[in-house]
């Protein structure tokens, strides 16, 4: 009896302190409720990633995604438009089918690389050849005619397809160390050999193509099980495919053992000429200070090995969901709230750089920008980005966010401005207060970033939801703030490497005509 009375008294005390420690703001309460009880994240993720798919600049899917976003905002009563900022080499991926046809039949796991010219429906069937160990560029030139009519394997044969963490768990210490030493040695030897050919890993491709190779077979392993990084091709006329480590190393061994494997590559992509490139911009107009802006930012484009789920599907979902919730729960913001879904971030922050260049009036009157672009995880880091007074406003805004979200966030003030990496850098370079919502990595770098495994199933919806709440509340607080944020910069420290004082990054122009 006594114990239970004590317990109820403690509960009462706990409840009352939590009520009075943070004054409840109905807008914030509604934001949390809406995000929790009426989340659209799963549906949006499905439509964007499963149905539209990857969003490589210059592809029809990229344009479909822009149109989808505009239509989606329209349904929520938010005005949105696609703003053209440039043009790009148009290209559409077709069927890639790669089979080993000799000495036995096996369908191989791989894909054509972007902006690669396609093959016919029948494809190309040829034998394989690996790069030889050469003494110097002359021996390489002597060997070069051997590639005529063959597929050339241009990547090192990895000694293991198991990631380090798997070795660490199961191998004896000696055998793990032995593998790592051997791989380091092999990698060094491989690099030195490429150098001796007189080319580098890029220029050698052109030399092989010129010498009459039938195609290029590469394997850009991403240090995890079954995961490769997928970028663009460097060949002008012949197919380039990336094969997963398992199949690539099998073929490599077969060549080395003299089994003369043959493969067939069908890669039916299409060239579409030059096509326009866009940013999707949506807006909730400010009522008191419509000429001051809060921007939600996430690049919309992706590489196309997977569906760009965590790079940057999740950042896109966070911003779309935050906008939807803001429109519903905070329809008349003090300042104008914009969202920028940038095109062609992957080729050099092109969409956001174009926006900065084309909209100086927005950049000059930016209250704050929040960008997200490093995967599906909950936000764990927020830096003041080199603004002297960022602590004052950012920590005040963060205080309004529920503790179960902010308890994971480590803040750094005043921080330093990032010179690149994602679209916040385009705005920072122009001196505008722009902040990156840095996520927990969830094996981002090895498993999903620019890989063939960047797909819907990797999304951690609880974390994405928490990021949407965080973003919506930060946007609300930034919009409501009685003061315009200070953009006074810190004096940057001396770079210990050069002995010179660091300088604030300067704006760079986008590439407005790309892919050629
Ligand atoms: Zn990204």
């Amino acid at each position: 009896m006594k114990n239970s009375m004590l317990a109820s008294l403690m509960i009462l005390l706990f409840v009352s302190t939590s009520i009075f420690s943070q004054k409840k703001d109905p807008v914030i309460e509604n934001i949390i409720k809406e995000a929790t009880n009426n989340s659209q994240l799963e549906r949006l993720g499905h439509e964007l990633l499963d149905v539209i798919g990857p969003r490589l600049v210059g592809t029809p899917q990229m344009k479909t995604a822009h149109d989808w976003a505009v239509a989606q905002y329209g349904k929520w009563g938010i005005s949105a438009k696609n703003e053209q900022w440039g043009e790009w080499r148009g290209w559409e991926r077709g069927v890639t089918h790669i089979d080993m046809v000799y000495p036995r039949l096996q369908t191989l796991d791989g894909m054509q690389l972007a902006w690669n010219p396609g093959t016919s429906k029948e494809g190309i069937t040829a034998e394989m050849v690996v790069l030889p160990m050469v003494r110097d560029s002359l021996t390489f030139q002597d060997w070069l005619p051997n590639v005529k009519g063959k597929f050339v394997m241009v990547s090192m044969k990895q000694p293991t397809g198991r990631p380090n963490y798997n070795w660490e768990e199961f191998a004896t210490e000696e055998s793990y160390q032995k593998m790592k030493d051997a791989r380091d040695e092999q990698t060094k030897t491989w690099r030195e050999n490429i150098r001796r050919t007189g080319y580098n890993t890029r220029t050698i491709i052109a030399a092989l193509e010129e010498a009459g190779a039938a195609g290029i077979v590469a394997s850009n392993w991403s240090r995890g099980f079954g995961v490769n990084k997928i970028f663009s091709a460097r060949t002008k006329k012949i197919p380039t495919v990336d094969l997963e480590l398992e199949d690539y190393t099998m073929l490599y061994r077969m060549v080395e053992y003299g089994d003369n494997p043959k493969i067939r590559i069908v890669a039916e992509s299409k060239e579409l000429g030059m096509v326009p490139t866009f940013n999707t911009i949506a807006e909730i107009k400010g009522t008191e200070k419509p000429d001051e802006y809060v921007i939600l930012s996430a690049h919309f484009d992706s590489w196309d090995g997977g569906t760009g789920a965590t790079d940057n599907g999740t950042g896109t979902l966070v911003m779309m969901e935050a906008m939807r919730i803001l429109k519903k729960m905070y329809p008349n913001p003090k300042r104008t709230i914009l969202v920028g879904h940038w095109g062609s971030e992957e080729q050099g922050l092109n969409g956001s750089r174009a926006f900065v260049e084309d909209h100086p009036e927005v950049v000059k009157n930016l209250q704050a920008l929040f960008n997200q672009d490093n995967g599906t995880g909950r936000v764990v880091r927020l830096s003041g980005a080199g603004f002297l007074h960022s602590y004052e406003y950012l920590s005040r805004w963060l205080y309004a966010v529920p503790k179960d979200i902010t308890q994971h966030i480590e803040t750094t003030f005043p921080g330093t401005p990032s010179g690149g990496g994602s679209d916040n850098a385009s705005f920072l370079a122009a001196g505008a207060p722009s902040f990156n919502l840095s996520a927990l990595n969830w094996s981002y770098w090895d498993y999903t970033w620019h890989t063939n495994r960047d797909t819907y199933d990797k999304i951690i919806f609880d974390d994405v939801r928490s990021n949407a709440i965080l973003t919506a509340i930060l946007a609300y607080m930034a919009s409501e703030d009685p003061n315009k944020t200070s953009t006074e910069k810190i004096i940057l420290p001396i770079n210990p490497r050069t002995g010179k004082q660091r300088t604030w990054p300067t704006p760079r122009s986008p590439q407005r005509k790309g892919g050629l």
Side-chain angles (χ1 to χ4, degrees):
M1 181 70 185
K2 210 173 161 191
N3 276 347
S4 73
M5 276 223 352
L6 191 64
S8 6
L9 191 68
M10 280 174 69
I11 287 166
L12 200 70
L13 271 170
F14 178 74
V15 169
S16 54
T17 46
S18 60
I19 285 170
F20 293 114
S21 64
Q22 231 167 339
K23 208 173 79 210
K24 289 209 173 174
D25 177 326
V27 174
I28 291 175
E29 294 304 305
N30 288 338
I31 287 172
I32 299 167
K33 254 187 240 153
E34 177 66 18
T36 311
N37 302 336
N38 188 31
S39 172
Q40 301 295 306
L41 291 170
E42 283 86 350
R43 176 183 64 80
L44 293 171
H46 163 69
E47 289 180 12
L48 179 63
L49 306 170
D50 296 339
V51 181
I52 295 170
R55 299 161 304 285
L56 187 72
V57 59
T59 61
Q61 288 78 14
M62 181 79 254
K63 180 63 172 47
T64 308
H66 282 299
D67 292 342
W68 169 82
V70 168
Q72 200 56 242
Y73 282 117
K75 281 182 205 159
W76 295 332
I78 300 170
S79 71
K81 59 175 190 252
N82 291 330
E83 239 181 55
Q84 190 186 340
W85 53 263
E87 50 181 350
W88 214 267
R89 175 180 167 188
W91 184 81
E92 183 170 20
R93 176 175 290 288
V95 168
T96 306
H97 203 104
I98 312 165
D99 301 283
M100 177 167 75
V101 293
Y102 181 85
R104 61 186 176 84
L105 185 78
Q106 181 178 323
T107 295
L108 305 172
D109 203 342
M111 68 196 295
Q112 183 188 17
L113 297 187
W115 291 297
N116 186 210
T119 68
S120 69
K121 255 192 175 47
E122 289 71 42
I124 299 170
T125 306
E127 284 183 7
M128 326 274 309
V129 61
V130 302
L131 295 177
M133 286 310 236
V134 296
R135 209 173 343 107
D136 50 32
S137 63
L138 284 178
T139 28
F140 183 71
Q141 291 301 329
D142 282 347
W143 172 84
L144 206 46
N146 285 307
V147 305
K148 197 163 175 56
K150 304 227 170 86
F151 289 128
V152 190
M153 306 184 76
V154 296
S155 305
M156 187 183 93
K157 180 185 68 176
Q158 291 292 336
T160 178
R162 293 182 183 275
N164 283 355
Y165 64 78
N166 187 245
W167 279 81
E168 249 175 319
E169 186 175 357
F170 295 109
T172 62
E173 223 168 277
E174 297 76 37
S175 104
Y176 180 34
Q177 196 53 50
K178 193 171 106 197
M179 182 281 288
K180 280 200 296 187
D181 291 346
R183 184 169 59 191
D184 288 350
E185 187 57 38
Q186 188 196 349
T187 309
K188 195 167 141 246
T189 308
W190 176 269
R191 287 204 186 121
E192 283 167 359
N193 187 55
I194 298 276
R195 215 170 299 134
R196 283 197 301 270
T197 65
Y199 298 99
N200 60 38
T201 49
R202 288 163 175 243
T203 56
I204 200 169
I205 304 295
L208 295 167
E209 180 164 23
E210 202 144 298
I216 301 293
V217 178
S219 183
N220 189 359
W221 189 43
S222 185
R223 299 187 301 248
F225 282 114
V227 60
N228 276 30
K229 300 224 179 286
I230 305 292
F231 297 109
S232 53
R234 298 187 194 287
T235 51
K236 299 266 183 288
K237 294 195 175 93
I238 58 174
T240 301
V241 297
D242 183 279
L243 282 184
E244 277 179 40
L245 176 147
E246 296 86 340
D247 290 342
Y248 185 84
T249 53
M250 174 188 73
L251 289 167
Y252 208 107
R253 284 188 298 276
M254 292 174 100
V255 171
E256 285 179 320
Y257 277 99
D259 303 313
N260 302 321
K262 254 189 210 174
I263 68 169
R264 180 176 55 224
I265 295 177
V266 177
E268 297 180 70
S269 58
K270 270 192 255 154
E271 293 289 332
L272 303 173
M274 293 306 277
V275 301
T277 55
F278 302 92
N279 293 323
T280 298
I281 309 293
E283 171 186 279
I284 308 173
K285 195 94 190 144
T287 49
E288 257 179 67
K289 300 183 172 191
D291 297 333
E292 290 186 17
Y293 296 88
V294 175
I295 301 185
L296 309 188
S297 156
H299 75 85
F300 206 16
D301 64 309
S302 72
W303 283 103
D304 76 340
T307 55
T310 69
D311 187 13
N312 187 19
T314 42
T316 301
L317 295 183
V318 165
M319 300 311 157
M320 285 188 90
E321 178 76 341
M323 280 300 273
R324 179 187 74 80
I325 296 169
L326 285 165
K327 174 70 186 178
K328 193 164 173 181
M329 300 306 173
Y330 178 54
N332 300 304
K334 187 185 237 178
R335 295 179 170 85
T336 296
I337 302 177
L338 289 186
V339 63
H341 298 286
W342 319 116
S344 185
E345 185 266 358
E346 298 293 2
Q347 290 72 30
L349 316 186
N350 291 312
S352 57
R353 280 177 178 161
F355 185 90
V356 168
E357 212 168 74
D358 298 344
H359 297 280
E361 76 293 353
V362 175
V363 176
K364 185 166 59 94
N365 292 323
L366 186 65
Q367 172 77 342
L369 173 144
F370 303 103
N371 182 66
Q372 212 245 311
D373 176 24
N374 71 321
T376 187
R378 58 190 174 274
V379 172
V380 289
R381 278 182 313 278
L382 180 63
S383 156
F387 293 103
L388 186 59
H389 302 290
S390 54
Y391 173 80
E392 188 278 318
Y393 48 89
L394 278 182
S395 56
R396 197 153 37 75
W397 302 343
L398 268 180
Y399 185 70
V401 178
K403 287 239 166 22
D404 59 342
I405 294 175
T406 52
Q407 65 177 338
H408 304 291
I409 304 175
E410 190 185 288
T411 51
T412 312
F413 294 108
T416 47
S418 62
S422 191
D423 298 294
N424 52 307
S426 307
F427 290 82
L428 267 178
S434 312
F435 308 99
N436 203 37
L437 304 171
S438 253
L440 188 67
N441 87 49
W442 280 96
S443 305
Y444 181 65
W445 299 109
D446 288 351
Y447 273 100
T448 60
W449 180 59
H450 303 163
T451 75
N452 56 339
R453 295 286 176 259
D454 192 9
T455 43
Y456 184 103
D457 53 287
K458 311 304 183 307
I459 299 176
I460 307 300
F461 278 103
D462 281 345
D463 283 10
V464 177
R465 209 169 343 268
S466 144
N467 294 348
I469 296 173
L470 170 70
T471 305
I473 297 176
L474 287 176
Y476 164 64
M477 292 300 290
S479 164
E480 282 295 298
D481 201 303
N483 306 313
K484 168 76 185 69
T485 48
S486 159
T487 54
E488 192 179 335
K489 298 166 185 165
I490 55 164
I491 293 169
L492 291 170
I494 291 187
N495 182 341
R497 212 162 28 83
T498 61
K500 286 189 186 140
Q501 191 175 357
R502 287 185 206 268
T503 53
W504 196 272
T506 46
R508 288 174 59 182
S509 283
Q511 192 181 359
R512 295 206 190 240
K513 193 169 181 171
L516 296 168

